[in-house]
Amino acid sequence: MSEHVAPPVLSTRKFSLWYGSHQAVIEVDLDIAERQITAIIGPSGCGKSTLIRAFNRLNDLIPGVRTAGQILFRGEPLYGRGVDPVEVRRRIGMVFQKPNPFPKSVFENVAFGLRINGFRGDLKAKVEEALARAALLDEVKGDLHRKTGYDLSGGQQQRLCIARALAVDPEVLLMDEPCSALDPIATAKIEDLIRELASSVTVVIVTHNMQQAARVSDYTAFMLLGELVECGPTRELFTRPKDSRTEAYITGRFG
Amino acid sequence: MATPSRSLPRAARGRSRRERLATWGLTLAGLLAVAITLTIIALFVHGSLPFLRTVPLGEFLGGTRWAPIHEPAGYGILPLIGATLVTTGIALGVAVPLGLLAAVFLSAYAPSPVRRVLKPALELLAGVPTVVYGFFALRFVTPLLQGFIPSLGFWNGLSAGLVMGVMIIPYMASLSEDVLYAVPRSLWEGAYALGATRFEAVTRVVIPAALSGIGAAFILALTRAVGETMIVALAAGRTPTWPPDPRQPLLTLTTAIVNIATGDHEATAFIWSAVFAIGLLLFLTTLVLNTVSYLVIQRFREKYA
Ligand SMILES: Nc1ncnc2c1ncn2[C@@H]1O[C@H](COP(=O)(O)OP(=O)(O)OP(=O)(O)O)[C@@H](O)[C@H]1O
Ligand SMILES: [Mg+2]
């Protein structure tokens, strides 16, 4: 991978997060490079989901959550005074571990974000464009209005959720283990899709599948017990880890 | 495709016998419920036969004068149906919006300690005897409303309907709250992640997802309103009028039964059979509404599985 001069889209500065008295993220310093794919790996419970959900302030919804340190989004403090989390989530989209389509038609699923954001323009064209970007259009074209999200297969549902997120043109797409509920073929499709998306959006993907991280990502961050152990270009991290704990994890000696 | 295995069935026999027993037992229980329902219908049909044989169905269902114990007698049920529709309509007009708002507040806006206190309190309200509500309507709401509507009668459909609505709010709220609360967290998060506000998430994702469940709550509220007796008997009076006017006394289907059953006149077998006919009509209405509610709930279950 080549060197980057562009400033990071997101960067955390000694970012910590507590659920009540339990600290789930501990002073993490991490930069997310623009239009690159950054994978976050680490054993279960190390705080991957918590960190990625901090990027779109989804943790705000959980009572008792407290943060310290900073996350900068294009240089602006994400948790700063006067920052509207609703606005943040419009610019930073998210795809969840378990596909969660709305019980609406395929069309309405994708149109949802556009509608609530007062999109003026060709709704149909925009919806189809998003479906095409998520490599789903060909499979659902005939029944955009007839089928609901639940009439699709698991892999299709997840691509629908990706299309839904892409429809509002987010700058960053957060993906929390997007393939963990899918079979290998559906997984391969989504991985291809992620690689393609990286030409237009910044992707942060949580996975505890190291092969997946190695296959799709440009950068990989390794977390352990709430801390960021190391982050670097994926090739380097997997071939020449700097930290012995990283080495232990990727060689399968624990986790 | 697979060839049947010969060694397996023997080991499973004990379990399969229990399984068969359970199946039979449950089928029997189910049939019993159906049998009881059918028996009730049969008894009502039988009881109302003398009435239905004498009074032409057209006069019964289409007549506008209800005066079974007067001379000349009138057996038109329309004033009763009209009165029931008026009080039910007013009651639902109160209970549905307020109940729904309360449900949305409890499920989506109230902090969980508040919800934990308010939800049982609400359900407690449903336990207040309806005679208390009826008395409240008669002695408190009607005088209060007479301040605004001078033509309001001492007995009237309006305050009966309003108070009945208040009585039904807890049912509407509690049942709707259950279905709203059952909408998976993941749908909320999906909406939020697209930049929805809480209001947008509730109105555009959560309520639509729970809509058939809310519909079921609505139908149950409707059944409660149609069947409610005490409040209307106390506060709406017992005068069959046509066309029904909410400001004036009314006689609903339920109070018509009370009227005959508690009247000090000499009730003939024929009049009793009229009661059966009204009862049959009420029973069938409720049955249909309950069936619809059941079907709606079934559909709701399939919604996001
Ligand atoms: N809503 C919550 N309330 C309290 N504690 C939580 C909550 N969510 C997560 N935690 C705790 O925070 C820590 C990090 O959880 P998190 O979900 O971020 O881990 P993860 O790395 O995503 O794990 P996994 O790979 O299993 O998804 C865990 O100890 C977890 O128990
Ligand atoms: Mg996780």
Side-chain angles (χ1 to χ4, degrees):
Chain A
M1 293 294 134
S2 58
E3 286 297 305
H4 286 280
V5 282
V9 179
L10 283 161
S11 50
T12 69
R13 298 265 190 277
K14 289 210 176 307
F15 183 77
S16 297
L17 189 146
W18 289 262
Y19 292 111
S21 60
H22 172 69
Q23 187 169 9
V25 173
I26 303 163
E27 301 200 341
V28 165
D29 282 296
L30 174 66
D31 284 348
I32 307 291
E34 175 125 45
R35 290 191 200 163
Q36 302 288 317
I37 301 170
T38 305
I40 303 176
I41 61 168
S44 189
C46 69
K48 306 182 293 294
S49 296
T50 304
L51 181 63
I52 200 173
R53 290 162 61 95
F55 287 142
N56 67 345
R57 295 195 52 173
L58 213 53
N59 291 321
D60 290 24
L61 305 169
I62 301 169
V65 164
R66 194 161 52 83
T67 64
Q70 271 196 337
I71 299 182
L72 300 176
F73 177 38
R74 300 201 184 282
E76 301 279 338
L78 202 60
Y79 284 79
R81 231 175 244 280
V83 174
D84 182 3
V86 168
E87 183 63 30
V88 168
R89 293 182 203 126
R90 240 151 70 174
R91 296 173 60 190
I92 304 181
M94 183 156 202
V95 174
F96 298 84
Q97 179 166 355
K98 198 167 154 271
N100 59 347
F102 301 132
K104 301 176 187 292
S105 69
V106 168
F107 184 91
E108 285 304 324
N109 261 281
V110 182
F112 180 84
L114 297 166
R115 288 195 196 281
I116 59 170
N117 291 315
F119 175 78
R120 283 163 197 283
D122 191 343
L123 194 65
K124 185 166 182 288
K126 193 76 186 163
V127 166
E128 292 192 350
E129 179 201 314
L131 284 166
R133 280 176 81 190
L136 185 61
L137 186 60
D138 293 340
E139 290 159 61
V140 298
K141 189 146 196 190
D143 19 46
L144 283 183
H145 295 278
R146 244 173 1 94
K147 282 194 172 173
T148 78
Y150 292 90
D151 296 329
L152 305 178
S153 73
Q156 288 174 326
Q157 285 185 17
Q158 195 60 300
R159 277 178 284 146
L160 176 63
C161 292
I162 294 172
R164 189 173 74 181
L166 290 175
V168 290
D169 290 321
E171 294 160 54
V172 181
L173 188 60
L174 308 171
M175 308 180 104
D176 191 352
E177 302 190 36
C179 303
S180 65
L182 306 181
D183 65 67
I185 292 171
T187 298
K189 260 194 187 146
I190 301 234
E191 286 180 5
D192 289 346
L193 175 59
I194 294 171
R195 286 246 47 109
E196 252 164 61
L197 287 177
S199 63
S200 52
V201 291
T202 306
V203 176
V204 183
I205 178 172
V206 165
T207 172
H208 51 212
N209 176 339
M210 278 178 285
Q211 285 77 25
Q212 182 170 66
R215 277 194 303 265
V216 301
S217 71
D218 303 304
Y219 292 89
T220 298
F222 171 59
M223 286 183 75
L224 190 61
L225 298 171
E227 286 183 82
L228 179 70
V229 173
E230 121 171 55
C231 178
T234 298
R235 268 290 263 308
E236 270 176 44
L237 188 125
F238 279 102
T239 51
R240 276 171 283 129
K242 295 195 187 78
D243 195 291
S244 59
R245 291 170 293 175
T246 313
E247 190 181 357
Y249 184 69
I250 61 175
T251 53
R253 270 184 277 141
F254 74 86
Chain B
M1 289 297 224
T3 47
S5 154
R6 293 196 176 277
S7 56
L8 278 176
R10 203 164 278 277
R13 188 165 287 165
R15 279 177 70 195
S16 84
R17 182 177 300 144
R18 235 176 305 147
E19 187 68 27
R20 264 204 312 279
L21 219 69
T23 310
W24 276 107
L26 290 171
T27 310
L28 219 66
L31 287 177
L32 193 67
V34 174
I36 290 173
T37 311
L38 289 177
T39 310
I40 294 176
I41 296 182
L43 285 175
F44 270 82
V45 170
H46 178 77
S48 48
L49 272 182
F51 178 82
L52 294 175
R53 270 208 213 100
T54 318
V55 180
L57 205 61
E59 193 197 324
F60 178 50
L61 295 178
T64 58
R65 189 170 156 269
W66 178 258
I69 52 171
H70 293 88
E71 264 324 309
Y75 300 107
I77 197 133
L78 279 182
L80 279 51
I81 291 179
T84 299
L85 289 182
V86 165
T87 51
T88 300
I90 295 171
L92 293 183
V94 171
V96 171
L98 291 183
L100 207 53
L101 284 175
V104 168
F105 169 74
L106 281 179
S107 64
Y109 284 83
S112 58
V114 174
R115 178 178 184 271
R116 270 200 299 277
V117 174
L118 279 188
K119 185 88 193 294
L122 197 67
E123 278 157 5
L124 219 63
L125 260 184
V128 176
T130 51
V131 66
V132 176
Y133 282 108
F135 188 72
F136 176 72
L138 185 67
R139 303 300 298 167
F140 183 76
V141 177
T142 297
L144 189 78
L145 287 176
Q146 275 167 338
F148 304 95
I149 313 168
S151 64
L152 199 68
F154 176 75
W155 284 296
N156 64 82
L158 182 62
S159 47
L162 291 177
V163 171
M164 197 153 87
V166 172
M167 187 266 299
I168 295 171
I169 288 174
Y171 294 88
M172 186 68 203
S174 181
L175 288 167
S176 309
E177 204 273 346
D178 286 340
V179 285
L180 287 172
Y181 198 72
V183 171
R185 196 69 222 155
S186 63
L187 287 185
W188 278 97
E189 290 195 331
Y192 279 133
L194 289 164
T197 60
R198 185 177 356 207
F199 185 72
E200 286 162 344
V202 171
T203 51
R204 293 176 183 237
V205 174
V206 179
I207 290 180
L211 202 59
S212 8
I214 292 171
F218 171 82
I219 289 163
L220 274 155
L222 181 67
T223 348
R224 280 294 296 170
V226 169
E228 175 49 37
T229 308
M230 209 31 138
I231 297 174
V232 278
L234 283 178
R238 302 181 179 195
T239 318
T241 46
W242 186 262
D245 179 346
R247 290 166 303 182
Q248 299 307 319
L250 298 169
L251 183 75
T252 64
L253 288 166
T254 50
T255 31
I257 295 178
V258 175
N259 228 7
I260 295 175
T262 62
D264 47 11
H265 52 80
E266 200 62 26
T268 61
F270 179 72
I271 288 177
W272 278 114
S273 132
V275 172
F276 271 107
I278 302 172
L280 185 64
L281 204 68
L282 257 179
F283 183 78
L284 288 179
T285 316
T286 328
L287 194 71
V288 168
L289 291 174
N290 277 332
T291 310
V292 172
S293 124
Y294 171 80
L295 292 175
V296 168
I297 290 170
Q298 282 305 104
R299 218 195 98 221
F300 167 67
R301 285 218 182 109
E302 291 165 7
K303 208 65 189 265
Y304 47 80

